[in-house]
Amino acid sequence: MMAIRELKVCLLGDTGVGKSSIVCRFVQDHFDHNISPTIGASFMTKTVPCGNELHKFLIWDTAGQERFHSLAPMYYRGSAAAVIVYDITKQDSFHTLKKWVKELKEHGPENIVMAIAGNKCDLSDIREVPMKDAKEYAETIGAIVVETSAKNAVNIEELFQGISRQIPPLDSHENGNNGAIKLGKQTTQMNRRCC
Amino acid sequence: MGTAEGITSLLREEETFSACLARIDSIILKPMLQAEPYDQKGKENFKLLLLLNDRFHALWDVTEDHHRALRQKFSTSTSFHIQDIYIIWKADLFLRHYIHSQGCRVASCAMIQSHSEAWKNHKTALKQFLTDGIPETSVSMALHTILQKPIREHVQQYSLILTRLSEATGKVLTFACRDSLMPELWGFDNKGDLHLYQNDALRLPERKLLEDSKNLPIFASTGRSDQVLLFSDALVLVQVNYVGAQEMAFCSLSSCHEQFFPLLSFCSPNPLLALCPQAVWQWKLSQAVRQALNGKRDFPLWSKAGGGNEPPICRCFKHIFQTEGRLKNAAYEGEWCWGKPRGKGTLKWPDGRNHVGDFKEGLEHGFGICLIPRVSEDRFDCYKCHWFEGKMRGYGICEYGNEMVYKGYFKDDLRQGFGILEDTSAEHPFKYTGQWENDKKNGYGVWDDKNRGERYIGMWQDDHRHGHGIVVTQSGVCYQRMFHADKMVGSGILLLENDSIYEGNFTEDLMFVGKGKLTFANGFTLEGTFSNKSGQGLQTQGVLNTSSHHQLGLNKFPVEARWWGIYDQFLGFVHSGCKEETEESFTGFHVQTSKELRKSQEYLCCQRGAEDAPGKMEDILEELVQHREPELLHCYLQKVLNSSLHPLGKLLKTLTLAFQATYSGTGANRHLLNMAQEEVKHYAKKIWEFYQGLLHLALEQKGQPLAEMEDEETSNLNAYGMILPLILPCFYPELSMLYMLYHEKEDDLYCQGIVNLSLFSDLKLLEFLDVQKNDTQLFVCLFQRRSLIKDKCFLSATECLQKIIMTVDPQEKLEVLQKTYEEIESTVSRVAGKDYKLPMDDLLPLFMYVVSRASIQHLGAEIHLIRDLMNPTNTGGIYDFLLTALESCYEHIQKNIKLHHRETWHSSRDSRCL
Ligand SMILES: Nc1nc2c(ncn2[C@@H]2O[C@H](COP(=O)(O)OP(=O)(O)OP(=O)(O)O)[C@@H](O)[C@H]2O)c(=O)[nH]1
Ligand SMILES: [Mg+2]
């Protein structure tokens, strides 16, 4: 049996950059009956294989509006990874992204994997943020970077695969154990409601 | 004393004795002989009396002879030789007469007892002899005393004079003579008989001699010279093996009496009696034993008693201990086995001490109730406790005569382990809950001073506060610092009501002294030297102060170090193999309240083990094995933890007591939240551990394969996932109070926000919350229509959310939350007329709307309680997400509503104008 690891991933970024669209594309495009019930477009899960493990992404979407900004720490706490999204057609959104990165570095969980997604790459003709800028920036902070299109399903899978690869594998001796526990607790959790 | 004087006193002694014998003869024996016997029995008695008379006169004659010879020698010869003294070289003969006559008196005494009417006439005569302080009990007793006493005194006198003489002459011979004399007197020779009556313990006139091994040999083999005497109420073994051992012989006889009669049985552990007596003896013994057990002295010995011949090995009767030691003079009434108290019984001491309960091997063992009178007052200390080999060990309750009550563990009669001592008296009521060592408070414990309204939580040594300690007061002020033998030492940290913190030295009356640092809630800091009235050398700084959330006790009292006395007992129980009979002594009584316990004294003593008692340990273990499947296990644990009979239930109960003692009342202090929360989680871990321990044991006993050991992570998951929700109700009132206090400020702010929002009409509120962003028309339609009717939107969701405070289990609370979400979504879908998946941007405002309308008072406390205590597997998952959504609503209302305050106010006025 393959070990299942649960990974909390939160999505951050300016409003309207396409966070929710990315999640929708990633989770629902892929035809998978194992998708857990979701809270609207805000919480979704999806399991993907990675090496000899299964990664179950627990995806926490957030509201990008400025007035909700102060609530963000509640959402990204305990995350294994953060997908920070900007709109390649909006310079401002790239600026906001930098602010998110800074905040995560300061207040986010230690060793959080950061992935930068330049969304709406299908609209590259009205691009405001050059690919090069994003790449350079990502390098300085040691983050993954891809340009995506939720609309055309470009690089969405790759984005999450990239995250998977960045997640440090469990120590081999703990490996099987941990997976078993995770399964074990699932059963317990389900069973405990029976009476 | 010179030789001459010695002889003189010897002569005088002989004279006195002679006179005494003459008096007895004329006043007692002569009248007795004159009374003619008229029936068969009387004739037999008369024969004995004649014999007695015979011996009596023989003794008298010998005495007279001796007297005369002595006088003669002394008057004729001037040079005196020790060998001349008659008694020395004729000691044997002389003493035999003594002994014989004495024996006869006793024999006659026993005989007379059955025929005492004949002596009524002589009562007056007897009374003459009874003037010297001998209590008058019965005629026969009196007679016996009269006949025996002068002789005994005479012998004593002899030995005294002989000692003096020997000192005077300094001749070894004298000693040799005297030594050879004494064994004659105390020990036994084969020709003599009943001189044993000298032993006080055996000298009872109502005692009848039933058989003598001289008449009917007791042993098949005649090699033994032991003599056995069977009396109506005692059996006596006489041994003569060791001539020099007078005292020893005396002792062994008396203990013989103590230990083997009436319990004598021939498989007795004492080797002296581990002999097989002849059949007739066996029969007689059995009869005598039966008779004694039946308590009827005149039970005909030769009658056909019903039932078998063997009297039971375990029997019931009363006995007063006479041997030296703890039990001296104590009366035991109850069950015996093999000559020792065993089973149920009552032990009473002359000083009023009284023990009712179980015995084993002659000692208190098992449950018992013991009353011990207090020294000065007319009151008792009442112990209801478990005993182990004569000492208190295990769980017990002691109601002291001075209104104090101790409920907890004992060892070797001292308070040891976990225990609660409560004083309900008016002057200085207190309650201590914690660890005991050597009858004193030692280790971690909680002291409640009810007069001062203070609680000390911390370390103790020999009844003093010693080590780290926390003091919480009713006003909410609390501090943490070091104590040394009840005195405060060094500096500490003092948390004041106004959220300022003082770090430094302070007195018990909370006066600052010496160097210290005072930080105010607004962040200003005073640092310097304080005296009672003023501070000096102050500095100010503007650092944000978070004292309201400052937590005490975390590093000083690690959870593992708290209440280990409770776990220890349980561990002991499991390690000892969960023996049913020890269950209660390890895990405590299952009676729920002390009031009930007081009422149930009888129950505790008599009906224990009846239908009320805890299920058999065997059944408990069996059940454990059969309920291992997750579903069954959950139900099983739920049942068991609620049971006051099951060991796990009892453990939980005790933990609840400890928890309440710490965190209820005065202990409800926000600075103790983390301690409390941590503690509850630790309880869950421990209970799970013990469940596993029990299971392991059960499997082992059944010879089934053992479950493999869980690693720590799995164990924790089970503890928090399964046990915690089950035990949480026990700790919920205190715990939720602590959460409320901890989040008081935030909750106040949030409540203010809710009040502000309540001024909005539904529609305005939705507008305000930007809900209409996408589907304005739709929502406006919906809410306008609804508003007209009841002014309530999302009513179902609101009502659903309110249920969150009705449950205790965090999991159930989370489910309520999910239901609320579903209600919101279904309402939206209904209005939209299609399935509508709410994105976060829309969900959050709607959720906020529902939260504000549900107006749950202590939402912050709720949220944090759920988050801290929920099943850790929920972390990152959907429930966590929902909880976070709720939390963000809470925070949002708290933070942002205030900013919009003015705006709110205006718009609400607007809406009212409409
Ligand atoms: N052309 C194009 N449009 C996109 C793409 N992804 C999203 N959009 C559009 O961008 C708009 C905003 O998308 P959302 O997914 O709601 O953006 P968001 O980041 O979730 O916004 P908030 O939830 O307000 O923070 C929608 O109208 C989407 O259709 C894309 O890859 N290409
Ligand atoms: Mg979105």
Side-chain angles (χ1 to χ4, degrees), chain B residues 152-171:
Chain B
R152 198 167 38 147
E153 281 172 2
H154 185 53
V155 171
Q156 276 168 6
Q157 208 60 42
Y158 261 156
S159 60
L160 189 73
I161 292 165
L162 279 173
T163 311
R164 286 175 187 166
L165 271 174
S166 71
E167 276 163 10
T169 58
K171 297 229 165 136

Side-chain angles (χ1 to χ4, degrees), chain B residues 373-611:
Chain B
R374 288 184 78 83
V375 185
S376 50
E377 311 140 81
D378 183 24
R379 289 176 165 196
F380 289 87
D381 290 343
C382 173
Y383 293 88
K384 298 163 197 166
C385 187
H386 280 264
W387 265 261
F388 184 85
E389 293 175 356
K391 293 200 166 141
M392 287 191 277
R393 181 191 284 190
Y395 188 81
I397 294 178
C398 177
E399 287 154 8
Y400 299 98
N402 57 4
E403 291 185 50
M404 283 205 251
V405 179
Y406 175 80
K407 290 179 195 171
Y409 294 91
F410 289 90
K411 196 178 176 192
D412 293 338
D413 286 346
L414 301 175
R415 291 174 291 213
Q416 176 99 17
F418 176 78
I420 302 171
L421 181 71
E422 194 166 9
D423 186 343
T424 49
S425 68
E427 310 94 68
H428 195 75
F430 69 82
K431 182 176 175 183
Y432 173 80
T433 308
Q435 193 68 21
W436 296 81
E437 214 83 46
N438 268 325
D439 226 29
K440 291 193 172 127
K441 303 173 197 78
N442 267 306
Y444 181 76
V446 177
W447 169 274
D448 223 8
D449 185 326
K450 290 176 186 170
N451 279 352
R452 283 174 71 98
E454 254 181 38
R455 181 170 296 171
Y456 172 85
I457 303 165
M459 305 310 293
W460 294 78
Q461 198 180 75
D462 289 337
D463 276 349
H464 294 300
R465 296 181 289 180
H466 192 98
H468 288 286
I470 296 170
V471 173
V472 279
T473 67
Q474 225 144 36
S475 64
V477 175
C478 57
Y479 54 88
Q480 179 175 336
R481 60 177 308 156
M482 282 286 283
F483 287 81
H484 190 93
D486 246 5
K487 298 265 183 310
M488 297 175 157
V489 289
S491 66
I493 180 161
L494 175 66
L495 300 164
L496 296 156
E497 292 151 277
N498 60 3
D499 283 345
S500 43
I501 303 183
Y502 175 78
E503 285 163 275
N505 203 352
F506 50 91
T507 67
E508 205 145 349
D509 308 319
L510 309 183
M511 299 281 205
F512 305 158
V513 282
K515 268 196 172 12
K517 185 174 133 192
L518 180 63
T519 312
F520 294 103
N522 60 12
F524 282 108
T525 301
L526 303 180
E527 212 169 345
T529 312
F530 293 86
S531 72
N532 284 352
K533 287 175 191 115
S534 59
Q536 279 180 348
L538 305 180
Q539 280 182 310
T540 59
Q541 271 172 281
V543 185
L544 194 68
N545 175 8
T546 52
S547 89
S548 68
H549 289 169
H550 188 94
Q551 291 297 297
L552 295 176
L554 290 177
N555 306 321
K556 305 299 179 220
F557 316 110
V559 267
E560 295 80 13
R562 297 179 221 161
W563 313 126
W564 57 265
I566 299 175
Y567 307 125
D568 253 21
Q569 292 294 333
F570 203 93
L571 206 65
F573 177 58
V574 176
H575 280 170
S576 73
C578 292
K579 301 259 168 35
E580 194 165 332
E581 62 273 15
T582 61
E583 194 264 338
E584 232 176 21
S585 82
F586 279 116
T587 62
F589 305 142
H590 82 267
V591 180
Q592 309 228 338
T593 65
S594 58
K595 209 170 155 194
E596 205 179 314
L597 187 68
R598 213 162 295 142
K599 272 193 293 175
S600 66
Q601 214 173 77
E602 217 165 272
Y603 149 76
L604 279 170
C605 186
C606 307
Q607 267 117 53
R608 295 151 62 76
E611 70 285 357

Side-chain angles (χ1 to χ4, degrees), chain A residues 6 8 15-16 20 28 37-43 45 58-65 67-68 70-71 74-75 77-78 174 177-178 181-182 185-189 191-195, chain B residues 630-631 634-635 711 713-714 717-718 721 725 769-770 773 809 811-812 815 821 825 837-841 843-845 848 867 873-874 876-878 880-882 884-885 887-888 891-892 896:
Chain A
E6 289 183 344
K8 177 176 170 180
T15 183
S20 305
Q28 281 159 4
T38 60
I39 296 292
S42 313
F43 177 82
T45 64
L58 309 170
I59 304 166
W60 291 47
D61 193 5
T62 64
Q65 295 160 52
R67 65 196 181 108
F68 294 126
S70 64
L71 305 177
M74 283 182 249
Y75 289 86
R77 75 183 155 207
E174 260 180 42
N177 226 354
N178 199 16
I181 291 152
K182 294 274 177 181
K185 80 185 179 181
Q186 289 285 319
T187 25
T188 330
Q189 190 185 335
N191 282 329
R192 63 173 299 289
R193 304 308 323 155
C194 68
C195 39
Chain B
E631 301 147 45
H634 180 257
C635 298
D711 59 84
E713 204 177 335
T714 322
L717 284 172
N718 279 317
L769 292 170
D770 282 346
K773 188 181 138 198
D809 182 355
Q811 189 62 34
E812 282 169 31
E815 278 155 26
Y821 165 75
E825 202 175 51
K837 291 282 175 200
L838 280 168
M840 195 63 182
D841 313 17
L843 172 68
L844 215 51
M848 223 171 279
R867 190 175 295 292
T873 57
N874 285 334
I878 185 164
D880 189 3
F881 178 82
L882 282 168
T884 307
E887 190 181 348
S888 58
E891 298 267 315
H892 194 77
N896 295 10

Side-chain angles (χ1 to χ4, degrees), chain B residues 712-729:
Chain B
E712 202 188 324
E713 204 177 335
T714 322
S715 177
N716 280 353
L717 284 172
N718 279 317
Y720 300 145
M722 184 143 44
I723 303 289
L724 192 58
L726 292 174
I727 66 168
L728 199 56

Side-chain angles (χ1 to χ4, degrees), chain A residues 5 10 14 21 58 84 88 93 102-103 126 135 149 151 153 162 171 180:
Chain A
R5 279 177 77 183
C10 69
D14 219 344
S21 306
L58 309 170
I84 313 156
I88 60 158
S93 72
K102 198 164 166 264
E103 182 172 336
I126 51 165
K135 277 235 164 82
S149 168
K151 192 177 171 195
D171 292 342

Side-chain angles (χ1 to χ4, degrees), chain A:
Chain A
M1 189 200 299
M2 268 206 261
I4 294 184
R5 279 177 77 183
E6 289 183 344
L7 300 172
K8 177 176 170 180
V9 179
C10 69
L11 279 108
L12 300 168
D14 219 344
T15 183
V17 293
K19 299 183 293 292
S20 305
S21 306
I22 288 172
V23 177
C24 275
R25 171 59 75 190
F26 176 58
V27 174
Q28 281 159 4
D29 193 21
H30 196 277
F31 217 66
D32 192 345
H33 289 290
N34 281 337
I35 290 173
S36 305
T38 60
I39 296 292
S42 313
F43 177 82
M44 291 194 195
T45 64
K46 178 166 172 165
T47 306
V48 293
C50 173
N52 59 352
E53 291 178 346
L54 288 175
H55 284 177
K56 181 177 180 187
F57 288 107
L58 309 170
I59 304 166
W60 291 47
D61 193 5
T62 64
Q65 295 160 52
E66 182 59 35
R67 65 196 181 108
F68 294 126
H69 188 112
S70 64
L71 305 177
M74 283 182 249
Y75 289 86
Y76 61 67
R77 75 183 155 207
S79 294
V83 178
I84 313 156
V85 189
Y86 71 95
D87 183 344
I88 60 158
T89 66
K90 291 206 173 70
Q91 187 65 50
D92 273 358
S93 72
F94 189 64
H95 188 69
T96 314
L97 175 134
K98 286 178 177 171
K99 283 201 286 184
W100 278 117
V101 170
K102 198 164 166 264
E103 182 172 336
L104 280 178
K105 291 247 160 186
E106 279 168 16
H107 306 291
E110 250 179 275
N111 303 326
I112 189 170
V113 174
M114 288 193 273
I116 295 171
N119 195 32
K120 306 193 186 175
C121 66
D122 53 296
L123 302 176
S124 59
D125 37 328
I126 51 165
R127 172 196 292 273
E128 282 183 15
V129 183
M131 182 65 181
K132 197 170 117 276
D133 286 10
K135 277 235 164 82
E136 276 171 9
Y137 178 70
E139 240 165 65
T140 62
I141 59 161
I144 309 164
V145 64
V146 272
E147 287 202 341
T148 57
S149 168
K151 192 177 171 195
N152 296 348
V154 176
N155 278 342
I156 303 293
E157 296 273 330
E158 288 77 0
L159 174 69
F160 284 90
Q161 276 165 13
I163 292 170
S164 269
R165 279 195 296 273
Q166 290 279 306
I167 297 292
L170 291 169
D171 292 342
S172 52
H173 62 273
E174 260 180 42
N175 202 345
N177 226 354
N178 199 16
I181 291 152
K182 294 274 177 181
L183 285 178
K185 80 185 179 181
Q186 289 285 319
T187 25
T188 330
Q189 190 185 335
M190 271 141 70
N191 282 329
R192 63 173 299 289
R193 304 308 323 155
C194 68
C195 39

